Amino acid sequence: MELALTFKPIQKDIEIEIPEKADYARCKVEVEQDKKTSGWIVYGPNGQVLRRFVDTNGDNVVDQWRYFNRGLEVYRDIDANFNNKVDGSRWMNLAGTRWGIDRDENGEIDEWKMISAEEVTRVAIAALANKDTNAFKTLMITEEELSGSGIKNPFADKIRESVKGAPKDIPVMLSKTKMITPDTVWVRFDGSMPGLIPADDVKTDKDLHVFENVMSIIDTKGKSGLIQFGELIRVGDAWRLTQVPLPIEGESMQVTEGGILMQPVAGNATLPTNSTVGLSKEMQGLLDDLQKLDQNSPTPDKGPAAISKYNTDRVVIIEKLIAAAKNEDDRAQWTRQMVDGLAAAVQTVGYKDGLKQLQAIRDQVQKKSQDQDLVAYVTYRTLLADYSSQLQTTQSEKLRDVQTWWLEQLEDFIKKYPNSDDSAEAMLQLAVTQEFSGKVAESKKWYTKLVESHGSSEAGTRGAGALRRMNLAGQELELKGNSLAGGSIDAKQFRGKVLLVIFWSSWCKPCTEDLPQIQELYSKYHSQGFDILGINLDATPDLAEAYTKQHKIEWAHIHEEGGLESAPARDFGVISLPTMFLVDQAGKVVNRSATVSDLKKALPDLLK
């Protein structure tokens, strides 16, 4: 046991569960074995999983070291080429989304296969604090990525120039700033939302996802600071830096307003200029106050009074930050953060006064702001909070009235702010609600409007998938993905059989309730040509593997990264679990929303 717990993650910034030595006697190690893998599981004193050491290729040597926190896998070291050296590291669940590749197997990440914008700023701050130029370099867009991005000149050359100068610019920046030291830690990411730059004749040949005006709040021995990262570009599953970050300090720090790509152009393309921006003592003090307040935020068990005081104090500080901000973009950013905090408090802990505060902010923004994106943003989150509050306080017999009000509000919002990002989400809400209510025609209408007006948005992708699912009857099923057991699976492999496709997860209670009857049908009809394909939507394959093993599920499963946001879920706009498709021997869908009762009636005829 003690030996098993001596193994540690190769990378250093992971919080894993480590039992006290006094509890070692209550921990245990068990051997696990199945068709594809073997290894050991380490259980904690309360029966929780602490570690899994897995041999995935059957050579009796561990090639995956998996570490857990609060029962969830948070980090995994991987020996992908089976030479007993770690060449990849993945962060997951509570620890984020990172996937780093260590090509020379020396314990340092050489390339990020997957990393979010938030995590880019976190890793960058750690690299700067440690003066690790190589680690920072892994976050910047490469020449190969820039060449393949479709970005046109002069924009590409400007980014290329910025990246090329980074190795020299970083030491110069660190020598001039007092803000970044070995004690500096990342606290929070600050940025409004990513934007899409569509393919055009001026900037780019391909659609680009870009984060503009990204900031990060840091802490150095109790003193807060702001670091401007500027523009980040998404390349595949990874976000990339395009410039060296700059601390905002003093009164003469030169920083670039915005970035290179999200600048308006007229006629010949123009590039942004520099302007002087400084962090005043007033702003510094307010940032310190906000950080201290957030670090001591009350948990729900502290009661309504503590929650009310925290949120009220937070609004006061952010209102001062808005007043002290030097430009409209900063004021809008702080307003969004204030609204997000209040809306979350209303929806998650039932903060009653929060709705009144949101409504007051909404009224003020609608009256004074010329920024329609900000107006829509505040209005929509106030609506969401209002709806949540009504659901929490309304008697069951009057919930239908609340639902009617909600649908009316969504339609009104869409009419007023048709081009806002939140309009796409409002359309999706309308379509989903109508589908749940059995109003198929009305639901299709809204899904169609969503796809036509916001097709490139995340909600638009969901809407397109939902339309595809709702029109499946009589169509051949196109579905493939990574097998939970390794390799890939294509629904076409099951041609000649009656196939049941089940979208499921281990946390879905109705899935577990239906399972015994489905297993009974599988046992009864499998020899007659009936098969099942599961589409697992758990966050990690570990959860699915444990569940299928526990319940002795024999059929195959597809598992793609992302859970409810994974490709199979998006491709079919899955909105509830279980979702089941019944497919005939020719590969055509005969029922796109099958139930267990439907299966019992349909299978005998389909298998004749």
Side-chain angles (χ1 to χ4, degrees), residues 98 114 225 281:
R98 280 176 278 171
M114 178 184 296
K281 289 183 179 179

Side-chain angles (χ1 to χ4, degrees), residues 11 64 74-80 87-92 95-102 109-116 119 123 138-139 237-238 240 482 561:
Q11 304 304 318
Q64 289 191 6
V74 292
Y75 176 83
R76 181 183 302 182
D77 279 321
I78 303 165
D79 172 17
D87 50 36
S89 300
R90 298 197 65 176
W91 289 251
M92 52 197 75
T97 68
R98 280 176 278 171
W99 185 349
I101 304 300
D102 179 6
I109 300 299
D110 301 306
E111 172 190 343
W112 292 103
K113 186 174 181 178
M114 178 184 296
I115 187 168
S116 68
E119 290 167 310
V123 175
T138 65
L139 303 168
D237 290 325
R240 301 300 192 204
N482 294 324
E561 293 179 0

Side-chain angles (χ1 to χ4, degrees), residues 250-507:
E251 296 296 333
S252 60
M253 178 65 70
Q254 294 289 321
V255 298
T256 302
E257 272 196 7
I260 292 170
L261 292 168
M262 276 200 190
Q263 294 296 317
V265 293
N268 295 327
T270 58
L271 296 173
T273 57
N274 286 347
S275 64
T276 301
V277 179
L279 190 64
S280 66
K281 289 183 179 179
E282 178 189 10
M283 185 72 82
Q284 177 71 64
L286 290 170
L287 284 171
D288 289 341
D289 291 343
L290 183 62
Q291 182 186 341
K292 290 174 185 176
L293 184 67
D294 285 344
Q295 286 176 339
N296 297 290
S297 60
T299 53
D301 61 295
K302 296 298 182 181
I307 292 170
S308 177
K309 185 177 188 308
Y310 163 72
N311 282 284
T312 299
D313 291 347
R314 197 170 193 276
V315 167
V316 169
I317 294 173
I318 295 180
E319 284 179 336
K320 291 179 180 178
L321 282 165
I322 293 170
K326 294 187 174 183
N327 58 62
E328 200 61 40
D329 286 343
D330 288 348
R331 283 190 282 275
Q333 185 170 309
W334 284 116
T335 300
R336 285 183 167 93
Q337 187 173 135
M338 177 168 59
V339 167
D340 286 342
L342 287 172
V346 173
Q347 294 176 73
T348 59
V349 297
Y351 175 44
K352 295 180 180 179
D353 292 338
L355 180 58
K356 294 179 181 177
Q357 290 172 294
L358 279 170
Q359 290 168 336
I361 294 168
R362 176 202 61 196
D363 293 344
Q364 185 177 32
V365 170
Q366 287 179 345
K367 183 178 179 180
K368 295 185 176 181
S369 179
Q370 301 298 313
D371 183 348
Q372 286 303 296
D373 287 338
L374 177 63
V375 174
Y377 188 92
V378 174
T379 302
Y380 189 66
R381 277 143 193 80
T382 304
L383 268 180
L384 287 172
D386 197 348
Y387 178 51
S388 175
S389 180
Q390 290 189 53
L391 289 178
Q392 294 171 24
T393 58
T394 303
Q395 298 295 324
S396 57
E397 64 270 15
K398 293 188 177 180
L399 284 176
R400 182 173 293 181
D401 294 336
V402 173
Q403 199 71 7
T404 300
W405 172 87
W406 173 234
L407 295 176
E408 291 172 350
Q409 294 300 312
L410 288 173
E411 289 199 41
D412 185 57
F413 177 85
I414 293 165
K415 289 177 183 176
K416 289 181 178 177
Y417 310 102
N419 298 319
S420 72
D421 292 327
D422 291 311
S423 180
E425 183 61 32
M427 289 182 185
L428 183 61
Q429 289 273 356
L430 268 170
V432 169
T433 303
Q434 298 288 17
E435 186 177 354
F436 270 128
S437 302
K439 298 177 180 178
V440 176
E442 191 70 13
S443 176
K444 283 185 177 182
K445 181 189 82 172
W446 282 110
Y447 280 132
T448 301
K449 284 186 176 181
L450 169 59
V451 173
E452 289 175 350
S453 57
H454 298 276
S456 62
S457 68
E458 183 67 29
T461 301
R462 283 276 184 187
L467 281 175
R468 182 185 180 197
R469 170 175 48 78
M470 296 178 82
N471 293 319
L472 271 179
Q475 303 295 316
E476 289 189 6
L477 180 65
E478 298 286 341
L479 172 61
K480 58 184 176 181
N482 294 324
S483 170
L484 188 63
S488 61
I489 299 177
D490 191 325
K492 291 178 181 178
Q493 296 171 211
F494 297 89
R495 293 288 168 84
K497 295 182 177 182
V498 173
L499 178 66
L500 177 67
V501 176
I502 308 175
F503 289 81
W504 69 280
S505 72
S506 61
W507 47 260

Side-chain angles (χ1 to χ4, degrees), residues 26 28 43-49:
R26 295 167 55 210
K28 63 179 179 178
Y43 293 97
N46 297 314
Q48 75 276 32
V49 177

Side-chain angles (χ1 to χ4, degrees), residues 4-20 24 42 48-53 65-77 90-92 94-95 122:
L5 291 172
T6 60
F7 288 93
K8 296 180 180 179
I10 294 293
Q11 304 304 318
K12 307 301 182 185
D13 63 337
I14 306 101
E15 182 180 347
I16 61 174
E17 191 168 355
I18 303 174
E20 299 290 337
Y24 278 13
V42 183
Q48 75 276 32
V49 177
L50 297 178
R51 312 283 187 273
R52 287 186 70 201
F53 304 113
W65 296 260
R66 304 175 182 180
Y67 299 87
F68 291 71
N69 189 19
R70 300 182 222 170
L72 292 172
E73 185 181 0
V74 292
Y75 176 83
R76 181 183 302 182
D77 279 321
R90 298 197 65 176
W91 289 251
M92 52 197 75
L94 303 172
R122 178 173 182 159

